[in-house]
Amino acid sequence: MMYIYLSGPPSKLYEESSEVKVTVRPGMALEDMSKEALSDPEKFWAEQARGLDWHRQWDRVLDWNPPFARWFSGGLLNASVNCLDRHVTTETKNKAAIIWESESGESRTLTYFQLYRYVNRFANVLKGLGVQKGDRVTIYMPMVPELPVAMLACARIGATHSVVFSGFSSQALVDRVNDAQSKVIVTADGGFRKGKLVDLKRVVDESLAQTPSVQHVVVFRRAGNDVRMGPKDVWWHEAIEKAPMFCPPEMVESTHPLYILYTSGTTGKPKGVMHGTAGYLVHLYATAKWVFDFNKSDIFFCTADIGWVTGHSYIVYAPLMHGITEIMYDGAPDYPRPDRYWAVAEKHGATILYTTPTALRMYMKYGDAIPNSFDLSFLRLLGTVGEPINPEVWQWYFTTIGKERCPIIDTWWQTETGGIMLSACTGVDFVPMKPGSATFPVPGVDAVVVDDSGSPVPPGTKGYLVVRKPWPGMLLSLWGDDEKYRKTYWSKFEGVYYPGDYALVDKDGYLWLLGRADDVLKVAGHRLGTMELESAFVAHKAIAEAAVASRPDSTKGESIIAFLVAKEGVAASDALRKDIVEHIRKTVGPIATPDEVYFVGKLPKTRSGKIMRRLLKAIASGDKIGDITTLEDGAAIDEVRHAYDELKKAVG
Ligand code: ATP
Ligand code: MG
């Protein structure tokens, strides 16, 4: 089946003048479902909650004491039971839960039953170390199956997990362990990244002097690294050997904190987002069904790292609740060759691929021949998350990867929202796609675009995305900081959730995300979204990646500075610079003419792959650069600084 999509010239994120080929409305089934959901949200979400296994049913669906929501209060349940126990008495018992693949091409498969046993035993290990309901456990592990095992083991005994991305160094770990006051750290003797050993145990050792709450460290043997075992250290394999086979699940209240997870730190210091149990799981269960249309034969490949929310929600909890098979990949997308996602998808027959625009831009840079050399014919659905997808990139994903067979779902959500909030719902109804639009809110989510006074804006007008009603996946609060929670998300508009993203609704009701609300340039009285501008640069045939920043300018307000990464084999030159400026003038308008254009080898990104524009802006205006603990590669700052200084010298 050929999926219809609407396309205008894919030069910007939203092309106001684009010729829309077909006038569409959302599919009726989706529209009806959304209407019904919003007319009686409690009834609607209660129906969704019946998809979970409860030890005791809830008394009330929602207690809403703005900005604090308590979903399904009075209910008792356990997250690990919903991911594992529910399957081990059915045919799913013997089915692959996790197919793990390493960078070097090694694989391991765990069935639901094996995972169940493993989680029970590790839960007993944690219990044996004195971990009790309500205690926090920091998990600092590479992408191995033992990472979800440790998370689910925490959930089984009612401990709150706090996963720290394994690429972080000691300071980031210390901050997060101390913030959560964790009793135990679960780690490994090492991990691998681009063929190099990442010495996780050494980072943990370094942190111990500054993390007095930690009583024990459990060390999983992954790398064969020669580590020093100290007085607090316990080998995973030795402890598990002695652990009993079954651990009775601790039934927790619906609002019991399942985990703490820190945001990416794209806009500032990372925030400790706290998620409860029942609401969070209900949201995931429902959205996974609607958005991905999970079915029994699916092999789901979500490329996220479990250190980020996408991995928590759509590698660990949602797919396991649904009893489907998933691929877990431990490695970089481009090592040893820039083909890993395609190779893994081919080898294991992935049916759904869920990845990021930044990974796609990287692959696009290497051309079509690489993906074309793999058999990707089992793919039926393609998804993205994390950033707006540039229409150029969307088009490539659709044509080169999906061969125009697979719909693309662009899913907008945040660490704070727990699960997907805006997306096409292929499991509910078919809606025509528009490259670059996240389409509509999922049923039950009341998202609209408003102006500064909080009133909905007319179609085609930029404004702030907000959510007017509480939803089950929403964060409980920020860990230990209710005041910051209130201030960050609930103070811009009274009683309304403010995600901090810029958006618009087009005349067909489709939502377009236009980047961070605080990432807007004001040039000669015009407001330009940085994301939109970057998309326009990426639409130039020589450009693979772009980041736009600004500097205060006495006449124009702000002047535009562009940092560009050229495609493989393209040489940076003045002629190319001129051509690009001309391209921007033509596609966006003279107002968007960049004042300075720099070519760089890489851009400063967060570990989750997002461009840290605040950093570029700081460099360009000579300000302090702030918290960079989540920066992917420190060398990128130097490179940008260098390119900047060189050009400054050249132009005097
Ligand atoms: P911090 O809040 O610490 O600055 P962060 O916002 O990058 O970090 P996440 O919660 O991982 O941390 O990312 C959520 C953000 O990612 C959203 O607010 C939005 O800006 C962006 N985003 C996610 N998915 C999409 C999407 N499909 N389209 C557009 N933007 C998206
Ligand atoms: Mg954020």
Side-chain angles (χ1 to χ4, degrees), residues 9-17 389-392 435-436 462 512 514 531-533 535-536 539 587-589:
S11 60
K12 283 196 286 174
L13 278 177
Y14 171 68
E15 184 62 64
E16 284 167 77
S17 60
I389 178 164
N390 327 83
E392 281 285 312
K462 293 173 202 175
W512 298 75
L514 302 174
M531 224 16 251
E532 279 183 278
L533 260 177
S535 243
T587 56
V588 189

Side-chain angles (χ1 to χ4, degrees), residues 45 48-49 52-54 56 58 60-61 70-79 82 252-258 275-285 321 472-474 476:
W45 287 115
Q48 309 309 317
L52 263 54
D53 285 355
W54 295 82
R56 183 184 184 279
W58 58 92
R60 289 169 57 84
V61 177
R70 296 170 55 83
W71 283 91
F72 307 107
S73 59
L76 289 174
L77 77 172
N78 181 283
N82 275 283
V252 300
E253 310 73 48
S254 292
T255 51
H256 183 72
L258 179 61
H275 278 294
T277 304
Y280 173 74
L281 295 180
V282 168
H283 189 115
L284 293 187
Y285 189 78
M321 276 194 286
M474 67 189 267
L476 296 178

Side-chain angles (χ1 to χ4, degrees), residues 193 448 517 587 598:
R193 185 77 181 171
V448 291
T587 56
Y598 300 99

Side-chain angles (χ1 to χ4, degrees), residues 4-36:
I4 322 163
Y5 66 94
L6 310 169
S7 67
S11 60
K12 283 196 286 174
L13 278 177
Y14 171 68
E15 184 62 64
E16 284 167 77
S17 60
S18 73
E19 270 295 306
V20 172
K21 304 217 172 78
V22 196
T23 305
V24 288
R25 296 174 50 71
M28 276 315 282
L30 182 69
E31 206 179 355
D32 289 350
M33 191 168 157
S34 296
K35 262 199 201 130
E36 201 188 302

Side-chain angles (χ1 to χ4, degrees), residues 263-267 271 414-416 489 499 501 516 610:
T263 56
S264 311
T266 309
T267 53
K271 302 171 277 282
Q414 308 177 293
T415 311
E416 295 89 338
Y489 310 107
D501 281 354
R516 314 278 173 155
K610 298 177 196 188

